Short mmCIF file of all heavy atoms in Angstrom, two decimals:
data_model
loop_
_atom_site.label_atom_id
_atom_site.label_comp_id
_atom_site.label_asym_id
_atom_site.label_seq_id
_atom_site.Cartn_x
_atom_site.Cartn_y
_atom_site.Cartn_z
N THR H 117 17.30 -10.68 -0.79
CA THR H 117 16.46 -9.66 -1.42
C THR H 117 16.26 -10.02 -2.88
O THR H 117 17.01 -10.83 -3.44
CB THR H 117 17.09 -8.25 -1.32
OG1 THR H 117 18.33 -8.25 -2.02
CG2 THR H 117 17.28 -7.82 0.12
N GLN H 118 15.25 -9.41 -3.47
CA GLN H 118 14.95 -9.63 -4.89
C GLN H 118 14.36 -8.34 -5.43
O GLN H 118 13.49 -7.74 -4.80
CB GLN H 118 13.96 -10.79 -5.02
CG GLN H 118 13.83 -11.34 -6.38
CD GLN H 118 13.05 -12.67 -6.37
OE1 GLN H 118 12.52 -13.09 -5.36
NE2 GLN H 118 13.01 -13.30 -7.54
N GLU H 119 14.85 -7.90 -6.59
CA GLU H 119 14.37 -6.65 -7.21
C GLU H 119 13.54 -6.95 -8.45
O GLU H 119 13.82 -7.89 -9.18
CB GLU H 119 15.56 -5.79 -7.65
CG GLU H 119 16.25 -5.09 -6.53
CD GLU H 119 17.36 -4.17 -7.02
OE1 GLU H 119 17.54 -4.01 -8.25
OE2 GLU H 119 18.06 -3.61 -6.17
N PHE H 120 12.52 -6.09 -8.65
CA PHE H 120 11.67 -6.19 -9.82
C PHE H 120 11.42 -4.80 -10.37
O PHE H 120 11.46 -3.81 -9.64
CB PHE H 120 10.30 -6.79 -9.45
CG PHE H 120 10.37 -8.19 -8.95
CD1 PHE H 120 10.47 -8.45 -7.60
CD2 PHE H 120 10.35 -9.26 -9.84
CE1 PHE H 120 10.54 -9.75 -7.13
CE2 PHE H 120 10.42 -10.56 -9.38
CZ PHE H 120 10.51 -10.81 -8.01
N ILE H 121 11.12 -4.73 -11.65
CA ILE H 121 10.61 -3.50 -12.26
C ILE H 121 9.11 -3.55 -12.00
O ILE H 121 8.46 -4.54 -12.35
CB ILE H 121 10.95 -3.44 -13.76
CG1 ILE H 121 12.47 -3.34 -13.92
CG2 ILE H 121 10.23 -2.28 -14.44
CD1 ILE H 121 12.96 -3.52 -15.34
N PRO H 122 8.52 -2.54 -11.35
CA PRO H 122 7.12 -2.63 -10.92
C PRO H 122 6.12 -3.03 -12.01
O PRO H 122 5.27 -3.89 -11.77
CB PRO H 122 6.83 -1.23 -10.38
CG PRO H 122 8.15 -0.74 -9.90
CD PRO H 122 9.14 -1.30 -10.88
N LYS H 123 6.23 -2.46 -13.20
CA LYS H 123 5.27 -2.81 -14.26
C LYS H 123 5.43 -4.27 -14.70
O LYS H 123 4.44 -4.94 -15.02
CB LYS H 123 5.39 -1.85 -15.44
CG LYS H 123 4.83 -0.48 -15.12
CD LYS H 123 4.90 0.46 -16.30
CE LYS H 123 4.33 1.82 -15.90
NZ LYS H 123 4.44 2.80 -16.96
N GLN H 124 6.65 -4.76 -14.71
CA GLN H 124 6.87 -6.16 -15.07
C GLN H 124 6.35 -7.09 -13.97
O GLN H 124 5.77 -8.14 -14.26
CB GLN H 124 8.36 -6.42 -15.34
CG GLN H 124 8.86 -5.78 -16.60
CD GLN H 124 10.35 -5.97 -16.82
OE1 GLN H 124 11.05 -6.55 -16.01
NE2 GLN H 124 10.84 -5.44 -17.94
N PHE H 125 6.54 -6.70 -12.71
CA PHE H 125 6.02 -7.51 -11.61
C PHE H 125 4.50 -7.50 -11.63
O PHE H 125 3.87 -8.52 -11.34
CB PHE H 125 6.56 -7.02 -10.26
CG PHE H 125 6.21 -7.93 -9.13
CD1 PHE H 125 6.81 -9.18 -9.02
CD2 PHE H 125 5.28 -7.56 -8.17
CE1 PHE H 125 6.49 -10.04 -7.98
CE2 PHE H 125 4.94 -8.41 -7.13
CZ PHE H 125 5.56 -9.65 -7.03
N ALA H 126 3.90 -6.36 -11.99
CA ALA H 126 2.44 -6.29 -12.11
C ALA H 126 1.94 -7.31 -13.12
O ALA H 126 0.94 -8.01 -12.88
CB ALA H 126 2.01 -4.88 -12.51
N ALA H 127 2.62 -7.43 -14.25
CA ALA H 127 2.23 -8.42 -15.26
C ALA H 127 2.40 -9.83 -14.71
O ALA H 127 1.57 -10.70 -14.96
CB ALA H 127 3.07 -8.22 -16.53
N GLN H 128 3.46 -10.04 -13.93
CA GLN H 128 3.74 -11.37 -13.36
C GLN H 128 2.64 -11.80 -12.40
O GLN H 128 2.31 -12.98 -12.33
CB GLN H 128 5.09 -11.33 -12.65
CG GLN H 128 5.61 -12.68 -12.24
CD GLN H 128 7.02 -12.60 -11.68
OE1 GLN H 128 7.76 -11.67 -11.94
NE2 GLN H 128 7.39 -13.60 -10.91
N ILE H 129 2.05 -10.86 -11.65
CA ILE H 129 0.99 -11.22 -10.70
C ILE H 129 -0.40 -10.96 -11.29
O ILE H 129 -1.40 -10.96 -10.57
CB ILE H 129 1.16 -10.49 -9.34
CG1 ILE H 129 1.05 -8.97 -9.48
CG2 ILE H 129 2.46 -10.88 -8.68
CD1 ILE H 129 1.04 -8.23 -8.14
N SER H 130 -0.46 -10.72 -12.60
CA SER H 130 -1.73 -10.50 -13.32
C SER H 130 -2.49 -9.29 -12.78
O SER H 130 -3.71 -9.33 -12.63
CB SER H 130 -2.62 -11.74 -13.26
OG SER H 130 -1.96 -12.85 -13.82
N LEU H 131 -1.77 -8.23 -12.50
CA LEU H 131 -2.37 -7.00 -12.01
C LEU H 131 -2.59 -6.06 -13.18
O LEU H 131 -1.64 -5.69 -13.87
CB LEU H 131 -1.45 -6.34 -10.97
CG LEU H 131 -1.88 -4.98 -10.46
CD1 LEU H 131 -3.13 -5.10 -9.60
CD2 LEU H 131 -0.76 -4.35 -9.65
N ASP H 132 -3.84 -5.71 -13.43
CA ASP H 132 -4.20 -4.81 -14.51
C ASP H 132 -4.51 -3.44 -13.90
O ASP H 132 -5.44 -3.31 -13.11
CB ASP H 132 -5.42 -5.36 -15.25
CG ASP H 132 -5.87 -4.49 -16.41
OD1 ASP H 132 -5.23 -3.45 -16.66
OD2 ASP H 132 -6.86 -4.86 -17.06
N MET H 133 -3.72 -2.43 -14.26
CA MET H 133 -3.90 -1.10 -13.68
C MET H 133 -5.28 -0.52 -14.02
O MET H 133 -5.82 0.26 -13.24
CB MET H 133 -2.79 -0.15 -14.12
CG MET H 133 -1.47 -0.40 -13.42
SD MET H 133 -1.54 -0.29 -11.62
CE MET H 133 -1.79 1.46 -11.40
N ASN H 134 -5.86 -0.87 -15.15
CA ASN H 134 -7.22 -0.39 -15.46
C ASN H 134 -8.22 -0.91 -14.43
O ASN H 134 -9.12 -0.18 -14.00
CB ASN H 134 -7.64 -0.80 -16.87
CG ASN H 134 -6.92 0.01 -17.92
OD1 ASN H 134 -6.63 1.18 -17.72
ND2 ASN H 134 -6.60 -0.62 -19.03
N ASN H 135 -8.07 -2.15 -14.01
CA ASN H 135 -8.94 -2.69 -12.96
C ASN H 135 -8.65 -2.01 -11.62
O ASN H 135 -9.56 -1.79 -10.82
CB ASN H 135 -8.77 -4.20 -12.83
CG ASN H 135 -9.34 -4.94 -14.01
OD1 ASN H 135 -10.14 -4.41 -14.77
ND2 ASN H 135 -8.91 -6.17 -14.19
N ALA H 136 -7.38 -1.71 -11.38
CA ALA H 136 -7.02 -1.05 -10.11
C ALA H 136 -7.70 0.31 -9.99
O ALA H 136 -8.08 0.74 -8.90
CB ALA H 136 -5.50 -0.90 -10.02
N TRP H 137 -7.86 1.01 -11.13
CA TRP H 137 -8.53 2.31 -11.12
C TRP H 137 -10.05 2.17 -11.07
O TRP H 137 -10.76 3.12 -10.76
CB TRP H 137 -8.15 3.10 -12.36
CG TRP H 137 -6.77 3.66 -12.34
CD1 TRP H 137 -5.70 3.20 -13.04
CD2 TRP H 137 -6.29 4.77 -11.59
NE1 TRP H 137 -4.59 3.95 -12.78
CE2 TRP H 137 -4.93 4.94 -11.89
CE3 TRP H 137 -6.89 5.65 -10.69
CZ2 TRP H 137 -4.14 5.93 -11.33
CZ3 TRP H 137 -6.10 6.65 -10.14
CH2 TRP H 137 -4.75 6.78 -10.45
N GLY H 138 -10.58 1.00 -11.38
CA GLY H 138 -12.02 0.80 -11.51
C GLY H 138 -12.83 1.20 -10.30
O GLY H 138 -13.84 1.90 -10.41
N ILE H 139 -12.43 0.75 -9.12
CA ILE H 139 -13.19 1.05 -7.90
C ILE H 139 -13.20 2.55 -7.64
O ILE H 139 -14.24 3.13 -7.32
CB ILE H 139 -12.61 0.29 -6.70
CG1 ILE H 139 -12.83 -1.21 -6.88
CG2 ILE H 139 -13.24 0.76 -5.39
CD1 ILE H 139 -12.12 -2.07 -5.89
N LEU H 140 -12.05 3.20 -7.81
CA LEU H 140 -11.99 4.64 -7.60
C LEU H 140 -12.91 5.37 -8.57
O LEU H 140 -13.61 6.30 -8.19
CB LEU H 140 -10.55 5.14 -7.73
CG LEU H 140 -10.37 6.65 -7.54
CD1 LEU H 140 -10.79 7.06 -6.13
CD2 LEU H 140 -8.94 7.05 -7.82
N ARG H 141 -12.92 4.93 -9.81
CA ARG H 141 -13.80 5.57 -10.81
C ARG H 141 -15.27 5.45 -10.41
O ARG H 141 -16.03 6.41 -10.56
CB ARG H 141 -13.58 4.95 -12.19
CG ARG H 141 -12.27 5.35 -12.82
CD ARG H 141 -12.17 4.79 -14.24
NE ARG H 141 -10.87 5.05 -14.80
CZ ARG H 141 -10.01 4.12 -15.17
NH1 ARG H 141 -10.31 2.86 -15.07
NH2 ARG H 141 -8.84 4.46 -15.68
N VAL H 142 -15.68 4.29 -9.91
CA VAL H 142 -17.07 4.10 -9.48
C VAL H 142 -17.41 5.04 -8.33
O VAL H 142 -18.46 5.69 -8.33
CB VAL H 142 -17.32 2.62 -9.08
CG1 VAL H 142 -18.66 2.45 -8.39
CG2 VAL H 142 -17.24 1.73 -10.30
N ILE H 143 -16.51 5.16 -7.35
CA ILE H 143 -16.75 6.05 -6.21
C ILE H 143 -16.82 7.50 -6.68
O ILE H 143 -17.72 8.25 -6.28
CB ILE H 143 -15.66 5.87 -5.13
CG1 ILE H 143 -15.78 4.48 -4.51
CG2 ILE H 143 -15.77 6.96 -4.06
CD1 ILE H 143 -14.61 4.10 -3.63
N VAL H 144 -15.89 7.92 -7.53
CA VAL H 144 -15.90 9.30 -8.03
C VAL H 144 -17.16 9.57 -8.83
O VAL H 144 -17.80 10.62 -8.67
CB VAL H 144 -14.63 9.59 -8.86
CG1 VAL H 144 -14.74 10.92 -9.59
CG2 VAL H 144 -13.40 9.60 -7.95
N ASP H 145 -17.56 8.63 -9.69
CA ASP H 145 -18.79 8.81 -10.47
C ASP H 145 -19.99 9.00 -9.55
O ASP H 145 -20.84 9.87 -9.77
CB ASP H 145 -19.05 7.61 -11.39
CG ASP H 145 -18.10 7.58 -12.58
OD1 ASP H 145 -17.44 8.61 -12.85
OD2 ASP H 145 -18.02 6.52 -13.24
N ARG H 146 -20.06 8.22 -8.49
CA ARG H 146 -21.18 8.34 -7.53
C ARG H 146 -21.12 9.70 -6.83
O ARG H 146 -22.15 10.37 -6.67
CB ARG H 146 -21.12 7.20 -6.51
CG ARG H 146 -22.15 7.28 -5.43
CD ARG H 146 -23.55 7.07 -5.99
NE ARG H 146 -24.52 7.16 -4.93
CZ ARG H 146 -25.38 8.18 -4.78
NH1 ARG H 146 -25.38 9.17 -5.64
NH2 ARG H 146 -26.21 8.20 -3.78
N CYS H 147 -19.95 10.13 -6.42
CA CYS H 147 -19.81 11.42 -5.73
C CYS H 147 -20.15 12.59 -6.67
O CYS H 147 -20.71 13.59 -6.22
CB CYS H 147 -18.40 11.59 -5.18
SG CYS H 147 -18.06 10.49 -3.79
N MET H 148 -19.82 12.45 -7.94
CA MET H 148 -20.12 13.52 -8.89
C MET H 148 -21.63 13.70 -9.09
O MET H 148 -22.08 14.77 -9.50
CB MET H 148 -19.44 13.24 -10.25
CG MET H 148 -17.92 13.25 -10.18
SD MET H 148 -17.22 14.81 -9.66
CE MET H 148 -17.38 15.74 -11.16
N GLN H 149 -22.42 12.68 -8.77
CA GLN H 149 -23.86 12.76 -8.90
C GLN H 149 -24.52 13.43 -7.69
O GLN H 149 -25.68 13.81 -7.74
CB GLN H 149 -24.47 11.36 -9.07
CG GLN H 149 -24.06 10.68 -10.34
CD GLN H 149 -24.46 9.21 -10.36
OE1 GLN H 149 -25.05 8.69 -9.43
NE2 GLN H 149 -24.14 8.54 -11.46
N LEU H 150 -23.76 13.59 -6.60
CA LEU H 150 -24.30 14.18 -5.37
C LEU H 150 -24.42 15.69 -5.50
O LEU H 150 -23.65 16.33 -6.23
CB LEU H 150 -23.40 13.82 -4.18
CG LEU H 150 -23.25 12.33 -3.88
CD1 LEU H 150 -22.16 12.12 -2.82
CD2 LEU H 150 -24.57 11.74 -3.40
N LYS H 151 -25.35 16.25 -4.74
CA LYS H 151 -25.48 17.70 -4.68
C LYS H 151 -24.30 18.27 -3.93
O LYS H 151 -23.63 17.58 -3.15
CB LYS H 151 -26.79 18.08 -3.97
CG LYS H 151 -28.02 17.65 -4.74
CD LYS H 151 -29.27 18.02 -3.98
CE LYS H 151 -30.49 17.54 -4.75
NZ LYS H 151 -31.71 17.70 -4.00
N ASP H 152 -24.00 19.58 -4.13
CA ASP H 152 -22.91 20.23 -3.41
C ASP H 152 -23.12 20.04 -1.91
O ASP H 152 -24.24 20.11 -1.40
CB ASP H 152 -22.87 21.72 -3.73
CG ASP H 152 -22.30 21.99 -5.12
OD1 ASP H 152 -21.75 21.05 -5.72
OD2 ASP H 152 -22.41 23.13 -5.60
N GLY H 153 -22.04 19.82 -1.21
CA GLY H 153 -22.12 19.64 0.24
C GLY H 153 -20.89 18.92 0.74
O GLY H 153 -19.89 18.74 0.03
N LYS H 154 -20.96 18.48 1.99
CA LYS H 154 -19.87 17.75 2.62
C LYS H 154 -20.39 16.35 2.94
O LYS H 154 -21.50 16.19 3.46
CB LYS H 154 -19.44 18.46 3.91
CG LYS H 154 -18.18 17.89 4.52
CD LYS H 154 -17.79 18.66 5.77
CE LYS H 154 -16.48 19.33 5.59
NZ LYS H 154 -16.02 20.00 6.81
N TYR H 155 -19.57 15.34 2.61
CA TYR H 155 -19.98 13.96 2.75
C TYR H 155 -18.89 13.15 3.44
O TYR H 155 -17.71 13.51 3.41
CB TYR H 155 -20.26 13.34 1.38
CG TYR H 155 -21.43 14.00 0.67
CD1 TYR H 155 -21.23 15.13 -0.12
CD2 TYR H 155 -22.72 13.50 0.80
CE1 TYR H 155 -22.29 15.74 -0.77
CE2 TYR H 155 -23.78 14.10 0.16
CZ TYR H 155 -23.56 15.23 -0.63
OH TYR H 155 -24.62 15.83 -1.25
N VAL H 156 -19.29 12.04 4.05
CA VAL H 156 -18.36 11.09 4.65
C VAL H 156 -18.52 9.77 3.91
O VAL H 156 -19.64 9.27 3.74
CB VAL H 156 -18.66 10.89 6.15
CG1 VAL H 156 -17.82 9.76 6.73
CG2 VAL H 156 -18.43 12.16 6.93
N LEU H 157 -17.39 9.21 3.46
CA LEU H 157 -17.38 7.90 2.84
C LEU H 157 -17.02 6.91 3.94
O LEU H 157 -15.98 7.04 4.59
CB LEU H 157 -16.34 7.87 1.71
CG LEU H 157 -16.20 6.59 0.92
CD1 LEU H 157 -17.48 6.29 0.16
CD2 LEU H 157 -15.04 6.69 -0.03
N TYR H 158 -17.89 5.93 4.18
CA TYR H 158 -17.72 5.02 5.31
C TYR H 158 -17.78 3.58 4.82
O TYR H 158 -18.71 3.20 4.12
CB TYR H 158 -18.85 5.28 6.32
CG TYR H 158 -18.86 4.35 7.50
CD1 TYR H 158 -17.94 4.47 8.53
CD2 TYR H 158 -19.81 3.33 7.58
CE1 TYR H 158 -17.96 3.62 9.61
CE2 TYR H 158 -19.84 2.47 8.67
CZ TYR H 158 -18.91 2.62 9.67
OH TYR H 158 -18.93 1.76 10.74
N LYS H 159 -16.77 2.80 5.18
CA LYS H 159 -16.78 1.38 4.84
C LYS H 159 -17.27 0.60 6.05
O LYS H 159 -16.75 0.75 7.15
CB LYS H 159 -15.38 0.89 4.46
CG LYS H 159 -15.40 -0.57 4.05
CD LYS H 159 -14.02 -1.13 3.87
CE LYS H 159 -14.03 -2.59 3.55
NZ LYS H 159 -14.62 -3.43 4.58
N GLU H 160 -18.27 -0.22 5.82
CA GLU H 160 -18.80 -1.07 6.89
C GLU H 160 -17.71 -2.05 7.33
O GLU H 160 -17.14 -2.75 6.49
CB GLU H 160 -20.03 -1.85 6.41
CG GLU H 160 -21.23 -1.00 6.12
CD GLU H 160 -21.96 -0.53 7.37
OE1 GLU H 160 -21.81 -1.16 8.43
OE2 GLU H 160 -22.65 0.48 7.28
N PRO H 161 -17.41 -2.12 8.64
CA PRO H 161 -16.37 -3.05 9.11
C PRO H 161 -16.73 -4.50 8.79
O PRO H 161 -17.86 -4.93 9.02
CB PRO H 161 -16.32 -2.83 10.62
CG PRO H 161 -17.03 -1.54 10.85
CD PRO H 161 -17.98 -1.33 9.73
N GLY H 162 -15.79 -5.22 8.25
CA GLY H 162 -15.99 -6.64 7.96
C GLY H 162 -16.91 -6.92 6.78
O GLY H 162 -17.25 -8.07 6.53
N LYS H 163 -17.34 -5.89 6.07
CA LYS H 163 -18.22 -6.09 4.93
C LYS H 163 -17.68 -5.32 3.74
O LYS H 163 -16.93 -4.37 3.89
CB LYS H 163 -19.63 -5.57 5.25
CG LYS H 163 -20.32 -6.28 6.39
CD LYS H 163 -21.69 -5.69 6.63
CE LYS H 163 -22.35 -6.35 7.84
NZ LYS H 163 -23.63 -5.72 8.14
N GLY H 164 -18.09 -5.70 2.56
CA GLY H 164 -17.67 -5.01 1.34
C GLY H 164 -18.65 -3.92 0.96
O GLY H 164 -18.98 -3.78 -0.20
N ILE H 165 -19.13 -3.16 1.95
CA ILE H 165 -20.14 -2.13 1.70
C ILE H 165 -19.56 -0.75 2.00
O ILE H 165 -19.00 -0.53 3.07
CB ILE H 165 -21.39 -2.35 2.59
CG1 ILE H 165 -22.03 -3.70 2.26
CG2 ILE H 165 -22.39 -1.22 2.41
CD1 ILE H 165 -23.14 -4.09 3.22
N LEU H 166 -19.69 0.16 1.04
CA LEU H 166 -19.32 1.56 1.23
C LEU H 166 -20.59 2.38 1.30
O LEU H 166 -21.50 2.19 0.48
CB LEU H 166 -18.47 2.07 0.07
CG LEU H 166 -17.02 1.62 0.01
CD1 LEU H 166 -16.38 2.11 -1.28
CD2 LEU H 166 -16.24 2.12 1.19
N ARG H 167 -20.65 3.28 2.25
CA ARG H 167 -21.81 4.15 2.38
C ARG H 167 -21.34 5.60 2.31
O ARG H 167 -20.25 5.93 2.77
CB ARG H 167 -22.54 3.91 3.69
CG ARG H 167 -23.07 2.50 3.82
CD ARG H 167 -23.97 2.37 5.04
NE ARG H 167 -24.32 1.00 5.30
CZ ARG H 167 -25.30 0.34 4.71
NH1 ARG H 167 -26.01 0.92 3.79
NH2 ARG H 167 -25.55 -0.91 5.02
N ILE H 168 -22.18 6.47 1.77
CA ILE H 168 -21.89 7.89 1.69
C ILE H 168 -22.95 8.61 2.52
O ILE H 168 -24.15 8.44 2.28
CB ILE H 168 -21.91 8.40 0.24
CG1 ILE H 168 -20.85 7.66 -0.60
CG2 ILE H 168 -21.66 9.90 0.20
CD1 ILE H 168 -20.90 7.97 -2.08
N TYR H 169 -22.51 9.38 3.51
CA TYR H 169 -23.41 10.13 4.37
C TYR H 169 -23.19 11.62 4.18
O TYR H 169 -22.04 12.08 4.19
CB TYR H 169 -23.17 9.78 5.85
CG TYR H 169 -23.47 8.35 6.20
CD1 TYR H 169 -22.46 7.40 6.30
CD2 TYR H 169 -24.79 7.94 6.42
CE1 TYR H 169 -22.74 6.09 6.62
CE2 TYR H 169 -25.08 6.62 6.75
CZ TYR H 169 -24.05 5.70 6.84
OH TYR H 169 -24.34 4.41 7.16
N LYS H 170 -24.26 12.37 4.04
CA LYS H 170 -24.16 13.83 3.99
C LYS H 170 -24.08 14.33 5.43
O LYS H 170 -24.82 13.88 6.30
CB LYS H 170 -25.37 14.44 3.27
CG LYS H 170 -25.21 15.93 3.08
CD LYS H 170 -26.27 16.52 2.18
CE LYS H 170 -25.93 17.99 1.98
NZ LYS H 170 -26.71 18.58 0.93
N VAL H 171 -23.16 15.26 5.67
CA VAL H 171 -22.97 15.83 7.00
C VAL H 171 -23.02 17.35 6.90
O VAL H 171 -22.81 17.92 5.83
CB VAL H 171 -21.63 15.37 7.63
CG1 VAL H 171 -21.61 13.87 7.86
CG2 VAL H 171 -20.44 15.79 6.79
#
Side-chain angles (χ1 to χ4, degrees):
T117 62
Q118 195 168 7
E119 284 184 4
F120 297 93
I121 295 170
K123 288 182 180 177
Q124 290 176 358
F125 188 70
Q128 190 174 338
I129 63 173
S130 302
L131 175 68
D132 180 0
M133 285 302 290
N134 287 326
N135 290 342
W137 286 105
I139 293 171
L140 180 62
R141 287 185 186 118
V142 169
I143 293 169
V144 169
D145 287 345
R146 176 68 180 109
C147 290
M148 295 299 282
Q149 295 170 359
L150 299 171
K151 295 179 181 172
D152 285 349
K154 189 179 244 185
Y155 296 87
V156 172
L157 181 65
Y158 176 75
K159 182 189 176 299
E160 293 284 338
K163 298 179 184 176
I165 298 172
L166 285 174
R167 299 189 189 277
I168 300 174
Y169 296 100
K170 186 170 185 168
V171 296

